[in-house]
Structures are given as structure tokens and as C-alpha cells.
Amino acid sequence: MPDTRPPVVFIHGLWLHATSWQPWIDHFEAAGYSAVAPGWPHEPDTVEAARKHPEAVADTTIDQATEHFASVIAGLGEAPIVIGHSFGGLITEKLLGQGIGRAGVAIDPAQIKGVLPLPLAQLRSGLPALGNPANLHRAVMLSEEEFRFGFGNALTEEESADIYRRWVVPAPARPLFQVAAANFVLHSQARVDTRRSDRGPLLLISGTADHTVPDVVTRSTFKQYRDSTAVTELKQFEGRGHSLTVDSGWRDVADSVLGWLHTQGI
């Protein structure tokens, strides 16, 4: 029999493997959805393989990743809910701006073209990749200390280390360079059609303690949608960092997303 459950596509960001969404997949399927979490283009299927072969994802651009997920969605046969974290959030925004997806949730989304705040914590979080121009065409791995600052700063040292061991993988540096230069490039791949009014509803989520995508950045992103009459909402999680999709409090975020989808009738 055909699967009549509403489909959900989860999109991860840099430095986390696609399998980090598994708790969310299980939770959403228990709530009546059909969920998948495809990796980025050429991403190995396991954390171990991804760590052994960083070259597999090196040099991937924002547009290449977006087109990859658009292709995955096209094969579903029904417009899904798209939920993305970090650069996955930016991709979620791009897809929704292209009319792809029934609804979107962008959690701690990487900044889009037009967003101007650049806090010092965000600069420091990006240094492992942006600090060396030669990284442009490489995949870069975070050290455990770098991960703790960028993702696990609101966690205990032990919990941050556990997440690092379970799900952290090398990530292409090129999307970070593209975002860093977005406001100086006419046709930046970080551009999103924020004016579109015939798209599905969008929820932006931020953690107020996030170092990698600080709350002020997500609030500025929210303001970019002021010319759209489509539903756009912002939810802030007090004291949460960039790890909020994978740390011990992930269920609070997931339940908030499920509640929002219910209010949208989805």
C-alpha cells in the first residue's frame, strides 16, 4: 500500500554526519511522519568512512548541495517538510525560496546574503576553515576543542566530547568561504529569495548561546523576510548552543517543531 504519511527530509550542516538525525527520524516517525536524512553529495554512509575519506566531500558548494537535495525531494513524489540545521538550514531556506517543499524549519541557519551581523564568536568558530585560504577546496576536520567552542559551549565537557566521538566528520570549507563573501558577491550562492509569498511556512530556530550562528544572526535572517506575506516565524531556545539538534535536549527542539507543524495544519 502507498505510504500516506507526510514526508520529512532532514538536512545536516557542516561537521555533523547525516546519521546524527536518527533520533529525530525515529521521533518523527512515531508522530506519524515518514522521515529520511540523506547525506550531502558524495558523503560516505558512515562516520568512520567519512573520517577516512575527507576528499569525498571536498570542494562541495552551496548550490551543488542544494541541487542534490532538490533531486532527492523530486524523487519522493510528494512535497516534504524540509528541516535543516546550520548550513542545512540555509539550504532549507533556499529550497523553500525556490518553491520546493511543503514547509521549512531552519535551525541555527547559516547566514544568508543580506545578513550583516558578524559576532566575534562566529568569526572564531569559522577560523578552523577560514583561517587558511588553502582550505577553499579542502574538507576540514574540527579538533575536539574547536568543536566544543563552536557547538558544545553550552554543554558539559563530557557531553561535548561524546557528541564529537559519535557524529563529527570532516566538512567542505567552501560553503563557509561562500557565506563569508556573500555580501560582496553579486550572484552569491548564499542568496535566498526571501520576498516570495507563495511558498510554504517557514520556522527559524536559534539558540541564544550559539557561537557558530549566534542568535543575533538568526534574528537578522528573520528580518530579511519582512517583505514576504508567507508565514515566517522565529523560535528562540534560551541558553542553547549550536549542538541543540544532537545534545541531550534535542527532544525539546523536536517537540517544538512538531507543535509548530501541527499549528500549521501539516
Side-chain angles (χ1 to χ4, degrees), residues 3-54:
D3 191 343
T4 59
R5 296 174 297 171
V8 179
V9 173
F10 292 105
I11 304 176
H12 69 84
L14 303 185
W15 291 304
L16 290 176
H17 192 264
T19 53
S20 64
W21 282 117
Q22 191 59 50
W24 286 68
I25 290 174
D26 296 340
H27 195 55
F28 270 66
E29 292 198 333
Y33 294 87
S34 172
V36 295
W40 278 44
H42 312 298
E43 179 182 309
D45 291 337
T46 67
V47 170
E48 182 181 14
R51 289 173 177 169
K52 287 182 178 178
H53 300 285

Side-chain angles (χ1 to χ4, degrees), residues 86-157:
S86 196
F87 266 92
L90 184 154
I91 292 169
T92 297
E93 292 182 72
K94 282 181 69 71
L95 290 169
L96 214 60
Q98 295 169 11
I100 299 172
R102 185 176 178 183
V105 180
I107 305 170
D108 296 337
Q111 65 197 74
I112 62 176
K113 181 178 173 66
V115 171
L116 299 179
L118 192 61
L120 288 176
Q122 186 178 26
L123 284 172
R124 180 177 166 185
S125 295
L127 274 179
L130 297 173
N132 183 356
N135 286 336
L136 176 62
H137 302 293
R138 297 173 178 168
V140 176
M141 182 66 173
L142 296 180
S143 68
E144 192 170 320
E145 181 181 358
E146 290 165 342
F147 177 79
R148 177 153 170 73
F149 179 83
F151 283 71
N153 59 292
L155 309 177
T156 64
E157 185 174 347

Side-chain angles (χ1 to χ4, degrees), residues 62-63 90 94 111-113 178-179 182 188-192:
I62 294 172
D63 276 356
L90 184 154
K94 282 181 69 71
Q111 65 197 74
I112 62 176
K113 181 178 173 66
Q178 290 178 305
V179 161
S188 170
Q189 293 187 22
R191 180 187 175 276
V192 169

Side-chain angles (χ1 to χ4, degrees), residues 214-229:
D215 177 62
V216 66
V217 173
T218 305
R219 285 188 279 116
S220 180
T221 298
F222 177 65
K223 292 177 183 178
Q224 298 300 309
Y225 287 91
R226 58 186 174 272
D227 293 327
S228 171
T229 59

